[in-house]
Each structure stands twice: as C-alpha cells, then as structure tokens.
Amino acid sequence: MKSDNNSVIAFTLKLLRKFQMLTFYPVVMDLLDHDSAEVRIQAVQTLLSLEDPSTINTLMKVYYDQPLEVQFEILRVMKISKDPCCTNLLKKELSDNTVSGIKVNAAEALFALGHQEYLTQQAQNEESSEEFIQIIKYALREKIC
C-alpha cells in the first residue's frame, strides 16, 4: 500500500475488495490523501466494497477536498450505497455546483435514494435553467424533446 508504483497499489486494493480484507479499512482510508487521483478512486471503490457503516459519512467529510474525478466516484458510490445521510450533500451539489457532470451524478443519486418528488419540484421551478431541467429529466429518465 506504500509502494511508489500506483499499479501495485491499485492491484492490492482489488485484492482487498475481492477477499473482503476488512482489517485494512484504515489503511485504505489513508489513501484518500494519495497523490494519484486514480489511487484515490480505487480507494473509494474499495471502501464501498468493505461495507463499513461509517464509509459514506467519511466520504462526505473528504468530498470537497478531492479532485473532480474523485468527487465523481464518491457521488457514484453514494448512489450505489443508497445511504440517506448523504441527501443534503447531494442536494447542495445539484443546486450549487457549476460542473454539469457533478449535477448529473447528484441528481441520479437523489433519484436512487427515492427523491423523485424533490427532483420533479426542482424541474418545475420557473427560475431553473434549461440545462438544470434537462439534468433532472435525465435523472428521472424522461426524454428531452
């Protein structure tokens, strides 16, 4: 895990996922500060796989300190986990973030968490931009005409 070779670390993380080596959870958490975004992404995937109840809370704490591609992965993990504790972060990212991809991932995660009514209300808001409405409709799986 302390190798200078990112491929070695990525391979080790895959092994941890495959064999559910829960004792390495703290070591994997430390990799969220690694220099390589790819290693961080692999660490996020491994944390989800190790199924610790504190994972989503921990990811929410480090979310804003991560590079964009790692933030995408954290949002994807939140969608998969369906943990309701991340709802406020997802709503904030949907409404405040300027990156369309982040908005899309946040909307899809909210949809997965069962917040269809919230998304529908946001899409019907007269002050919402056309791009914002399209993002929400995409998350709701509606066709945009």
Side-chain angles (χ1 to χ4, degrees), residues 29 48 70 102 128 141:
M29 287 297 302
L48 175 67
V70 179
I102 293 288
S128 296
R141 310 296 189 259

PDB file of all heavy atoms in Angstrom, residues 29 48 70 102 128 141:
ATOM      1  N   MET A  29      -8.433   4.067   3.966  1.00  0.00           N
ATOM      2  CA  MET A  29      -8.872   5.447   4.244  1.00  0.00           C
ATOM      3  C   MET A  29      -7.721   6.429   4.041  1.00  0.00           C
ATOM      4  O   MET A  29      -7.921   7.512   3.493  1.00  0.00           O
ATOM      5  CB  MET A  29      -9.396   5.568   5.685  1.00  0.00           C
ATOM      6  CG  MET A  29     -10.736   4.935   5.922  1.00  0.00           C
ATOM      7  SD  MET A  29     -12.051   5.699   4.977  1.00  0.00           S
ATOM      8  CE  MET A  29     -11.925   7.371   5.538  1.00  0.00           C
ATOM      9  N   LEU A  48     -16.229   1.208  -0.363  1.00  0.00           N
ATOM     10  CA  LEU A  48     -17.615   0.781  -0.568  1.00  0.00           C
ATOM     11  C   LEU A  48     -17.717  -0.735  -0.457  1.00  0.00           C
ATOM     12  O   LEU A  48     -18.616  -1.262   0.195  1.00  0.00           O
ATOM     13  CB  LEU A  48     -18.143   1.236  -1.924  1.00  0.00           C
ATOM     14  CG  LEU A  48     -19.549   0.741  -2.272  1.00  0.00           C
ATOM     15  CD1 LEU A  48     -20.587   1.366  -1.361  1.00  0.00           C
ATOM     16  CD2 LEU A  48     -19.870   1.026  -3.720  1.00  0.00           C
ATOM     17  N   VAL A  70     -12.408  12.280  -8.476  1.00  0.00           N
ATOM     18  CA  VAL A  70     -12.670  11.523  -7.249  1.00  0.00           C
ATOM     19  C   VAL A  70     -14.054  11.898  -6.708  1.00  0.00           C
ATOM     20  O   VAL A  70     -14.790  11.038  -6.218  1.00  0.00           O
ATOM     21  CB  VAL A  70     -11.562  11.753  -6.200  1.00  0.00           C
ATOM     22  CG1 VAL A  70     -11.850  10.980  -4.917  1.00  0.00           C
ATOM     23  CG2 VAL A  70     -10.198  11.357  -6.766  1.00  0.00           C
ATOM     24  N   ILE A 102     -21.160  16.814 -12.254  1.00  0.00           N
ATOM     25  CA  ILE A 102     -21.439  16.680 -10.818  1.00  0.00           C
ATOM     26  C   ILE A 102     -22.942  16.767 -10.591  1.00  0.00           C
ATOM     27  O   ILE A 102     -23.522  15.978  -9.836  1.00  0.00           O
ATOM     28  CB  ILE A 102     -20.696  17.761 -10.000  1.00  0.00           C
ATOM     29  CG1 ILE A 102     -19.190  17.545 -10.053  1.00  0.00           C
ATOM     30  CG2 ILE A 102     -21.212  17.815  -8.561  1.00  0.00           C
ATOM     31  CD1 ILE A 102     -18.666  16.369  -9.259  1.00  0.00           C
ATOM     32  N   SER A 128     -35.480  27.787 -12.684  1.00  0.00           N
ATOM     33  CA  SER A 128     -34.475  26.799 -13.081  1.00  0.00           C
ATOM     34  C   SER A 128     -34.060  27.013 -14.526  1.00  0.00           C
ATOM     35  O   SER A 128     -34.891  27.278 -15.393  1.00  0.00           O
ATOM     36  CB  SER A 128     -35.022  25.380 -12.911  1.00  0.00           C
ATOM     37  OG  SER A 128     -35.281  25.114 -11.555  1.00  0.00           O
ATOM     38  N   ARG A 141     -35.120   9.914 -15.957  1.00  0.00           N
ATOM     39  CA  ARG A 141     -35.249   9.027 -17.119  1.00  0.00           C
ATOM     40  C   ARG A 141     -36.333   9.466 -18.083  1.00  0.00           C
ATOM     41  O   ARG A 141     -36.990   8.649 -18.724  1.00  0.00           O
ATOM     42  CB  ARG A 141     -35.469   7.576 -16.710  1.00  0.00           C
ATOM     43  CG  ARG A 141     -34.518   7.030 -15.699  1.00  0.00           C
ATOM     44  CD  ARG A 141     -33.094   7.003 -16.248  1.00  0.00           C
ATOM     45  NE  ARG A 141     -32.192   6.293 -15.382  1.00  0.00           N
ATOM     46  CZ  ARG A 141     -31.328   6.848 -14.532  1.00  0.00           C
ATOM     47  NH1 ARG A 141     -31.288   8.129 -14.392  1.00  0.00           N
ATOM     48  NH2 ARG A 141     -30.519   6.112 -13.799  1.00  0.00           N
TER      49      ARG A 141
END
